[in-house]
Each structure stands twice: as C-alpha cells, then as structure tokens.
Amino acid sequence: MTDGESSTHVVIVGGGFAGVGCAKELAGRDGVRVTLIDRNDYHQFQPLLYQVATSKLARQDVAYSLRRLFVDDSNVEVVLGEVESVDPAAKAVTTGDGRTFSGDVLVLAAGARARFFHTPGAEEHSFPLYTVDDATRLRGRIIQLFEDAHGNPALLDRGALNFVVVGAGATGTEVAGALADLVKRTMSVEYTEDIAKRARIVMVDHGPAVLGPFSEGAHDYAAGVLEQNGVELRMQTGVSEVAEDRVILSDGTEIATRCVIWGGGIAAAPLAEQCGLPVGGGGRIDVQPDLTVEGFPDVYALGDIANIPGPDGRPLPQLGSVALQAGRWAAKNIRAAAKGKERTPFHYKDKGMMAMIGRNAAVAEIGKHRHEVHGKPAFLMWVGVHAALLTGVRTRMDAFVEWAWDYFAPMKEWEALDRSETSRIDWGEDESEDGGEGTDGRAV
Ligand SMILES: Cc1cc2nc3c(=O)[nH]c(=O)nc-3n(C[C@H](O)[C@H](O)[C@H](O)COP(=O)(O)OP(=O)(O)OC[C@H]3O[C@@H](n4cnc5c(N)ncnc54)[C@H](O)[C@@H]3O)c2cc1C
C-alpha cells in the first residue's frame, strides 16, 4: 500500500472528531497521504444523538458522509472497514475482510463504547447512546411503547411508559430532559394527554448530585429543572440488575420498565486492549504529551480511546473539543516530525463545560475559572460552542440551526415522529388484571 513516492503515509483508524480533525489538517498538504478507515461510511456527531433518540432530529442530520467530507482532498482516501487487529510495531492494521493497511504513521482514534460495570443484564437489555444506530434504536423503542400503550391501555398498569435513565452525568441529564420534553410536547399531541400523563421518567445515579463534575449551583439548577419537568431523581442509588421488563435498584426497589437508557459511563473502544499498547484508566491507551505512545514514536492515540495528559498530569475529559483539537495537533506533529523537527506537547484550549437540560435550560461553566452561567444565556453558549464543533468537521449546519431555533423559540408545539425504526415488543401474557409486575410501591 505505498505509492512509491517519498510522501508520508498516515493511516488513521476512526472517522470521529479526532480522526477527522487529524485528516482535515493533513488534507491538501504536500508530501503526505492519508488513509482514513472507519466501520461506517459516515461521521457521527455524538452531542446531538439524544435529539435523534427523542425525534427532534433525523438520523441523517447527525451522520455525515465521510467521503463527501474529503471529496475535494485528493490526498485523503476514505476506506470502509472494521479494523480487527493492530500491529503497532509495523504501523499496520487489518480489517475484518483481510485487508492490511500499513503506513509511516499510525493514528488510533477509534473512540469509546458504553461501560456497563458488569451490571447483570445491562448490556443485553438497556439502550446505550453512543452511536447513531443506538439513537435510532432507542427512538424506535420509545415510539413503540407509546404505540403499544395506545393500542392496549391495560399495559399502562404494567409500567409500559416507565423510562429509567441510568447516570446523572451530561448524557443522562440531556436525555432525561429531552425525553420529558418529548412526552409533554409531542406525545401528548400524537397520542392523548391521558396517555402522556402516565409516562414516568426516573433518573438513577449512585452519586449525590446531578451533573456531578459541575459546580454545586449547577447541580441544584439541573435537578430543579428536571424535577419541574416531571423527572424523578433517585440519587445515591445504583442499578443492581436490568431485566427485559424491569430494573432492580441497589436499595431493592424494582421498577417495571421496557426502556432503560444507559448513560452510566464509557470505556475505550475494544481496539485499545487488543493492540498491546500500554493502557490506563477506562482501558484507554496512555499517551505522552506529544500524543504519541511511549516506545512508538510514530503511533498516536487520540480522543476517547486515549488518556491524554492535561496540564496537571491528569487525563483530559472525553469531549468532542478535546478530540478535535488533539486530532489537529497530532497532524501538526506528524508534519513536524516528517520535516525532522521537534514534536510539541499538546495544549488543550479549555472553553469550559456545558450541558443542555431542556428547552431554554442549560448550564455552562466557562473558561479556566469556570464562570458559571445558567438558563437561556447558557443555552445560547451551548449552541455557539456546538456550532463551532460542527463546523470543525463539516459545513452543513441547516438541521442544527433549525433544531436550535425550534428549541429556543418554544412556539412550535410538536415535531412529526419518524416511526421507521420501531419493532415489536413481546409483552408476554397480559397480567394487568392482577395488578401486573410489582413496581416501587406505586401503581404507574
Ligand atoms: C451522547 C453523547 C453526547 C455527547 N455530548 C458532548 C457534548 O455536548 N460536547 C462535547 O464536547 N462532547 C460530547 N460528547 C463526547 C464526544 O462526542 C466524544 O468525546 C467524541 O466523539 C470523541 O471523539 P473520537 O474521535 O475520539 O471518537 P468517536 O467520535 O466515537 O469516533 C470514533 C470512530 O471510530 C470508528 N471505529 C471504532 N472502532 C472501529 C473499528 N474497529 N474499525 C473501524 N472504525 C472504528 C467509529 O465508527 C467512529 O466513527 C458526547 C458523547 C456522547 C456519547
């Protein structure tokens, strides 16, 4: 797989923020050639996945063709393939269909996956939210539950519209807020208000606060907005087991549910442990400040698959902005090394943390000093920062702008539902007459 010229061949695994950021920075440059491999032919914009899951955006709004992204860049080749093995010494990877790609430089940017912490049944029965496929699957389940409850209202007494969100971090909070909004604004119109009123959203976390990594003010604000929107909070409570039709909490409570949404944590993509490179917390590949792996000067690991040391030596958080900036920085180091120059340590420009809690409700902690902003101003900042993130990987902004405008101007009552991904739920025998499955002490 060499072109016979003296150009540097860079093989990148993963077309997420990190991989695309790196490839974009190398695109159009003389003396470099890029092979970008991804199992999907699209780049997915994870910060907007929960909008797909709650029918606010369509699948194609958050999945953008990788080929189209690089259509004008003749030195970037996009390859569709599942990388199954990595040989860091040879800077080579092999895909499931037996093709091997070796380069002068290897960049591992395969992201992360949901982490279930060995909770029995969680992997089989819950709905993680990490990919576009996860989001469409979850959307299908939410709609199917409303369809079933509408067709057979007796199912309501069996917890048909009980939703349990595991994890009160940014993913759990955003999805719980959006789900509450979906129930209130869309389902009450598409179905009936009586049915929508029977929906119950429970958010569970073993920590003491909603949005743990944020400040105390943000904890209280987020909890207040969620509760006002009807989300029940079960803090300092873990999940002991997830079954097809219920979840069992650490305090012994059982909640009947056919929809457990897992926002309980992430671990590095499986490639991290398969490639034989040193791994640290979260199973992520440990990298040096210049983003290369110790002992492998031409192997980089970036984004969610890597532990990238921050200024205090602790790993930077798993964020799109970290991944995108690291991708660009790695590209600069690759070019510097090709010219015989020194690589420089990655410097992350920290713009802060933010999370959306619902319509017009967000929290933001800006800059190094974590200046705290809540409500509409934070919402607008969220939109601005994510628009910048979006333009970092592509140019199409129309769906994002339309969604943001709709979320900001609460005039439009409801969005049309896309029912294409629904699938039948097996409810077993109708147990409604004897009260159905036990719940946590309340009929739902
Ligand atoms: C629901 C959710 C909401 C989020 N919200 C925000 C937010 O608001 N702001 C923010 O900054 N960050 C947010 N994040 C985090 C952010 O999305 C990630 O940090 C970022 O996507 C990491 O980028 P990455 O390039 O490392 O990995 P990814 O974006 O996950 O990309 C990895 C790529 O590798 C490919 N891949 C994986 N394994 C293989 C293989 N074996 N072979 C071939 N291809 C493979 C995948 O298909 C994927 O395209 C959110 C994450 C989630 C899940």
Side-chain angles (χ1 to χ4, degrees):
M1 299 259 169
T2 54
D3 60 4
E5 293 169 19
S6 61
S7 66
T8 303
H9 181 202
V10 182
V11 174
I12 303 176
V13 181
F17 284 109
V20 167
C22 184
K24 271 278 165 206
E25 193 67 34
L26 296 172
R29 305 276 184 186
D30 291 335
V32 61
R33 178 167 82 83
V34 176
T35 302
L36 175 65
I37 311 171
D38 201 292
R39 61 158 69 104
N40 300 312
D41 61 355
Y42 51 81
H43 163 84
Q44 45 201 350
F45 192 77
Q46 287 172 349
L48 295 177
L49 286 181
Y50 74 89
Q51 281 91 340
V52 175
T54 53
S55 299
K56 289 186 170 64
L57 286 177
R59 188 185 162 96
Q60 63 271 21
D61 296 331
V62 302
Y64 195 73
S65 163
L66 282 170
R67 283 185 199 290
R68 199 174 303 173
L69 265 177
F70 294 98
V71 74
D72 296 325
D73 303 311
S74 57
N75 68 331
V76 180
E77 186 195 7
V78 174
V79 171
L80 180 63
E82 172 88 29
V83 171
E84 289 195 342
S85 66
V86 178
D87 181 346
K91 289 163 277 176
V93 298
T94 303
T95 52
D97 55 10
R99 289 174 293 167
T100 295
F101 299 84
S102 59
D104 305 300
V105 178
L106 177 61
V107 176
L108 299 174
R113 58 182 156 159
R115 189 176 190 184
F116 297 101
F117 297 97
H118 307 292
T119 309
E123 192 162 357
E124 297 88 315
H125 301 300
S126 68
F127 289 77
L129 194 55
Y130 201 76
T131 63
V132 180
D133 287 339
D134 290 342
T136 43
R137 187 172 151 254
L138 174 57
R139 183 186 64 200
R141 172 53 62 107
I142 294 168
I143 294 173
Q144 189 65 55
L145 286 168
F146 274 88
E147 280 296 319
D148 288 2
H150 185 245
N152 179 7
L155 293 176
L156 287 166
D157 293 329
R158 294 168 61 193
L161 294 185
N162 287 353
F163 299 91
V164 177
V165 179
V166 182
T171 298
T173 299
E174 291 186 334
V175 78
L179 187 55
D181 192 63
L182 176 79
V183 169
K184 199 158 125 192
R185 287 174 184 273
T186 304
M187 296 319 207
S188 59
V189 179
E190 289 251 353
Y191 299 90
T192 65
E193 212 151 307
D194 286 346
I195 286 184
K197 273 189 191 146
R198 300 290 296 276
R200 181 177 169 212
I201 303 164
V202 184
M203 194 161 86
V204 184
D205 196 299
H206 52 65
V210 176
L211 291 180
F214 287 73
S215 68
E216 214 168 289
H219 299 163
D220 296 343
Y221 173 77
V225 172
L226 288 174
E227 283 181 327
Q228 205 180 339
N229 291 334
V231 177
E232 291 173 39
L233 303 180
R234 292 289 184 102
M235 306 311 295
Q236 295 185 299
T237 309
V239 172
S240 304
E241 191 181 336
V242 182
E244 194 184 359
D245 59 354
R246 78 193 70 191
V247 65
I248 303 169
L249 306 184
S250 55
D251 60 6
T253 306
E254 280 191 28
I255 303 176
T257 177
R258 302 274 177 157
C259 190
V260 176
I261 302 166
W262 196 268
I266 56 168
L271 274 189
E273 62 192 31
Q274 290 160 10
C275 64
L277 293 170
V279 292
R284 289 181 278 269
I285 300 169
D286 286 330
V287 296
Q288 306 179 106
D290 67 0
L291 304 170
T292 61
V293 181
E294 195 176 357
F296 298 89
D298 293 310
V299 177
Y300 293 74
L302 313 171
D304 281 5
I305 201 170
N307 281 321
I308 302 175
D312 57 1
R314 291 194 311 168
L316 291 168
Q318 281 67 58
L319 285 175
S321 42
V322 174
L324 186 62
Q325 289 182 33
R328 290 173 176 159
W329 199 284
K332 286 182 186 147
N333 275 348
I334 290 167
R335 292 179 58 225
K339 289 180 190 152
K341 293 186 184 161
E342 286 283 297
R343 299 183 181 92
T344 53
F346 174 52
H347 173 69
Y348 172 53
K349 276 200 194 113
D350 184 358
K351 293 179 187 132
M353 303 192 293
M354 25 189 93
M356 185 77 85
I357 308 158
R359 212 165 269 264
N360 280 323
V363 290
E365 288 175 10
I366 308 301
K368 260 192 200 159
H369 301 293
R370 294 284 183 253
H371 175 64
E372 205 176 308
V373 186
H374 300 164
K376 265 189 202 179
F379 174 82
L380 290 174
M381 283 176 188
W382 189 99
V383 170
V385 165
H386 287 79
L389 202 53
L390 202 58
T391 44
V393 286
R394 65 197 217 203
T395 48
R396 240 194 69 192
M397 295 281 292
D398 41 355
F400 179 71
V401 170
E402 197 182 318
W403 164 80
W405 176 249
D406 167 50
Y407 226 48
F408 186 62
M411 323 266 272
K412 198 169 145 193
E413 275 189 321
W414 55 283
E415 295 85 10
L417 294 177
D418 175 355
R419 293 181 164 80
S420 55
E421 300 287 333
T422 54
S423 61
R424 225 187 131 261
I425 298 170
D426 180 6
W427 289 95
E429 278 184 33
D430 186 353
E431 298 159 18
S432 56
E433 282 181 9
D434 62 14
E437 299 291 357
T439 65
D440 53 341
R442 286 195 275 161
V444 287

